[in-house]
Amino acid sequence: MEPCRGLPKDAQRNRDLLVAAARRLFAEKGLDVPLEEVARSAGVSIGTLYNRFPDRAELVGAVFADRVEATRLLAEEALARPRAWDGLVHFLEGVCALQAADRGYNDLAAGRGPRSPATERALADGYALMRRIVERARESGDLRPDLVLEDMVFVVWGHARTVEATAGIAPELWRRHLALLLDAFRAPAAHPLPVPPLTPEQARAALSSRCTP
């Protein structure tokens, strides 16, 4: 865990305890865990929590900074793959695995929960890389020509619900769900779609509507 520059030793210790407790609880229960429960699990007061993290968004950002960075690295690995389709599959499988392993990150990826400005900036950078992954696969001829980045919103949402419904029953079922979607994304499987995709503005509005303060 990266220390925060300028924090006294005791303050850094409390911050680390809070982040560790929140990471564990968010992974088990999702982002709606009461902050009082996080403070209690960390062994500190709720006042100490708010001294270190003024709101839930700041705590969420600290907890998932490494996951957001892992997603960025997955995107860069995908773009480095010689075959664009393999890069797309690598990225989607990696992101879906991160979601399946952590209920809190599953919530964040699906647009639930608050986001700090730093998290928003990091996610925007990730979306730019994702757009390149999709465009590259489409230009190669492997990805159906009418699929755009905004369609991927529904991959993430659908995966999030699959993970929620099956984690305790068949935790690997998401792989089957993703494989079915990937088959539908292949260019040879393409048939005309009945309506156009969301615009970037509509996709942002849809994601924003799922974020809670």
Side-chain angles (χ1 to χ4, degrees), residues 22-213:
R23 177 171 290 159
R24 182 175 63 256
L25 290 168
F26 288 162
E28 293 172 0
K29 302 180 179 181
L31 296 183
D32 292 334
V33 174
L35 295 184
E36 291 80 4
E37 185 175 351
V38 174
R40 188 165 55 249
S41 179
V44 303
S45 70
I46 189 65
T48 297
L49 184 151
Y50 280 116
N51 283 338
R52 299 278 68 82
F53 302 101
D55 56 33
R56 185 182 293 268
E58 291 295 328
L59 179 59
V60 168
V63 168
F64 293 109
D66 59 342
R67 308 293 201 285
V68 174
E69 175 63 9
T71 301
R72 185 188 67 79
L73 292 175
L74 279 170
E76 291 184 348
E77 291 170 3
L79 290 168
R81 292 288 179 102
R83 189 176 174 216
W85 176 261
D86 292 342
L88 175 68
V89 172
H90 172 76
F91 178 75
L92 290 177
E93 286 181 344
V95 169
C96 288
L98 288 173
Q99 286 182 249
D102 188 320
R103 184 172 172 183
Y105 186 69
N106 193 43
D107 284 351
L108 185 69
R112 293 193 291 266
R115 296 174 177 178
S116 68
T119 301
E120 289 285 8
R121 288 192 296 271
L123 290 173
D125 291 342
Y127 292 147
L129 291 172
M130 288 170 60
R131 190 174 297 279
R132 288 170 55 195
I133 292 169
V134 170
E135 289 173 350
R136 183 170 173 253
R138 198 170 55 224
E139 290 166 1
S140 74
D142 290 317
L143 183 66
R144 57 184 301 153
D146 53 359
L147 192 143
V148 298
L149 175 63
E150 288 68 34
D151 291 313
M152 293 298 176
V153 170
F154 301 102
V155 175
V156 175
W157 286 355
H159 178 67
R161 294 307 299 268
T162 298
V163 167
E164 291 168 9
T166 64
I169 303 167
E172 294 294 307
L173 187 68
W174 67 266
R175 297 184 183 279
R176 178 182 176 89
H177 179 216
L178 179 60
L180 288 168
L181 288 173
L182 286 169
D183 272 355
F185 291 167
R186 293 179 185 274
H191 291 85
L193 296 172
V195 295
L198 295 178
T199 65
E201 293 74 20
Q202 288 172 322
R204 282 193 293 271
L207 281 170
S208 296
S209 72
R210 294 173 64 82
C211 295
T212 55

